[in-house]
Amino acid sequence: MKKSRTKKNRSKPKKPVVAFLSLSGCEGCSFAMLDLGGEFFNALVHHYKLGEHHFLEEMKEKSHYDICFVDGSCLTKENVKVLKEMRKKSDFMVAVGSCAALGVVPVIKNFVNKKQKAKYVYPNLREPFNPDIHPISRYVKVDLVIPGCPIDNKEFLKVFTDVAQGITPALSHRPVCYECQTNGNPCLLQKGEPCLGPVIQGGCNAVCLNSRYYCRGCRGLIQDPAYDDAIKTLNKKLEKMIGKRALHHIFQIYGIQEDWLNRL
Amino acid sequence: MTKRIKLKHIAKIEGHASLITDLERGEINRARFRTLEGSRLIEGILVGRNYQEAPLITARICGVCPVVHNLGSIKAIEDALKIKVSEKTVVLRKLMMMGQFIQSHSLHLYFLTLPDYFKLPNSLKLLKDFPIETKQALEIRAFANKLIEVIGGRAIHPMNSAVGGFMKEPSKQELIALSEQIDPLLKIGEKLTKLFHSLKYPKFSRKTEYVATSNPNEYAIYGGQLNSTIDRKITKEKFIKEVEENYSDWQLIKKTRLKGKVYMVGALARLNLNRSKLRPGAKALLKKTGIKFPSYNTFHNVLGQMIETVHCLEESKVLIKKYLAMKGSSAVKDYRVKSGKGIGLIEAPRGSLFHVYEIDQQGYLKNVNIITPTAQFVNNLEEDIEAFLPDINDISSPASRRKIKMLVRAYDPCMTCATH
């Protein structure tokens, strides 16, 4: 007994088998990973056994994956089917990017006459499958979320190596403002311009604000009730500044409208 | 009796697609290339929203070519609102486009195409067998991404580029540092061109029509006049009026024809029409290949992308130098919002891209149409497959399947763009 345990300890730990699933979307998050270049490939080879990646491989599906990274959202019946199958086969599922986490862009359909929109784009299409868009967590259990549109690939790399070793990665729970101020950017709100930064989950290095492009909330609201008052105050301020219609249009882009209005 | 060959999922392309080929009495009846992507109804979604959202939302059409959609959208708005931007702004946008081309081409060339020609199962195997070349291809991509990031704020979904100019000037130091990388990268580019020249491209020729932007002053990427072998004098306005989009009852790709004809866009179309405008290094490399242009071999689209990668590296150097010596500003200009119609024409890595907008008095979008390169060349691809298949003996063998996939990949189809 003792002997075998020692032997087991000595042998290399088995690398988890990883799958990457891309549902419908721009695939920018897949490219954000590839843009890491050698860093990504080294981490992949070092920590994982590759099970499936539609971009890198033409390989047979496996019956089990230890970890599955999912990007994109469910726009087709096939998307829903594959997502559910992958969930069954995978021990741990990570939603990568805000399409999977929140919906992003197609989610705008939920707030307009989507039948009319489909007719506008495809006047002759027979019965288009045109569902409301939801986070993938509406269909399957999600164990971890990496937000962002696109993801911040440095943040991804950390999560990627952490989860392979069974570590629960610590994602930032500070608002975008924290990094924005650290980077020495001028505050747009103080200048009388709109910005959602004070209540949006950071970890993006305030990349938009570094270009003076105000935060539209692609990483979603901070999930901490302590921020509810700040959301209320900011909502009042922004409604006054740009009007309700424009404000709600901004919320819709990344699918934070429901969450935002629920917390007012 | 109809026999059907189905390629359920074609891997190593941008997005998901399938191919169904019907054979009748041993002859090709019909090849149908089909998207497996869901439609996001981007055009429909944009109607009724403020024009300022368009460059942000349309960038999300595609994660591999967000710069083209972002800038194509901005150009359509500027055309509609009659905004003329500063020369400095144009130079920066062109530089972003160089980054976009190099990034997208090198991804396709190295990671999606090469494994086919080396008969390797996948890119990871390529990585193991060709570590030096892989490192070099990654270096070229890293340069391109950094170039987009320095100017656009981020490599994927840039946001520093805006209607009327840029939110913030890029760092001169970073541009200088990038410029210093170019000469060594050009050496790598030359080596990789040799590699791509040495590949055994299948012998195939089918005469078709080519459409691309042309510019008397440069190898057109950011801007110019539309040019086509069908109708040389076509303006973008006339093109939009005449191009037929297929509103089918089942297809999610609105495939196009021009004057009833299928046509090809992309690197091969550009080389066939504009090769005399290439920068000297790229031009010399093209000459060395010994291939006679215009070429009607679709597989040469691959080599064309390699030549363009070298051209874009050379052009980046020229543009950075030009920018650093320029006076004036690239800051967002003041302009007035008014109603108008506009067309943004820009060359995407995969071919000419059109954003067609109508804006109302208050700045809300009334009509939106986006015609992507892949939607334009799918008809041509299907005809190519139909012409290519009879050359293949034993049509359902793994080798034949591989060859069909090679032809599909030579186009570098982007399914997320085609479906949007």
Side-chain angles (χ1 to χ4, degrees), chain A residues 80-138:
Chain A
V80 180
K81 200 178 129 211
V82 174
L83 175 65
K84 286 184 174 168
E85 279 169 9
M86 283 303 267
R87 176 68 261 194
K88 267 188 212 150
K89 287 184 192 175
S90 311
D91 292 345
F92 195 80
M93 187 169 261
V94 186
V96 180
S98 293
C99 277
L102 299 165
V104 179
V105 180
V107 82
I108 296 171
K109 283 202 303 188
N110 301 6
F111 307 99
V112 292
N113 182 341
K114 62 180 181 177
K115 264 192 181 163
Q116 196 190 8
K117 296 293 183 195
K119 199 91 197 152
Y120 179 80
V121 182
Y122 300 111
N124 300 336
L125 200 65
R126 270 176 292 162
E127 303 163 50
F129 181 66
N130 190 10
D132 268 4
I133 303 303
H134 303 294
I136 61 164
S137 59
R138 184 74 70 98

Side-chain angles (χ1 to χ4, degrees), chain B residues 47 71 111 125 160 252 407 418:
Chain B
V47 171
L71 294 181
F111 294 100
K125 185 87 174 77
N160 193 30
L252 291 180
L407 178 60

Side-chain angles (χ1 to χ4, degrees), chain B residues 42 50 57 72 108 138 180 185 194 203 211-212 220 247 286 324 360 365 407:
Chain B
I42 299 278
N50 192 282
I57 288 178
H108 174 245
L138 287 172
E180 281 163 2
L185 288 177
K194 257 185 213 152
K203 281 205 177 64
V211 174
Y247 292 100
L286 183 68
L324 293 172
D360 76 10
L365 290 156
L407 178 60

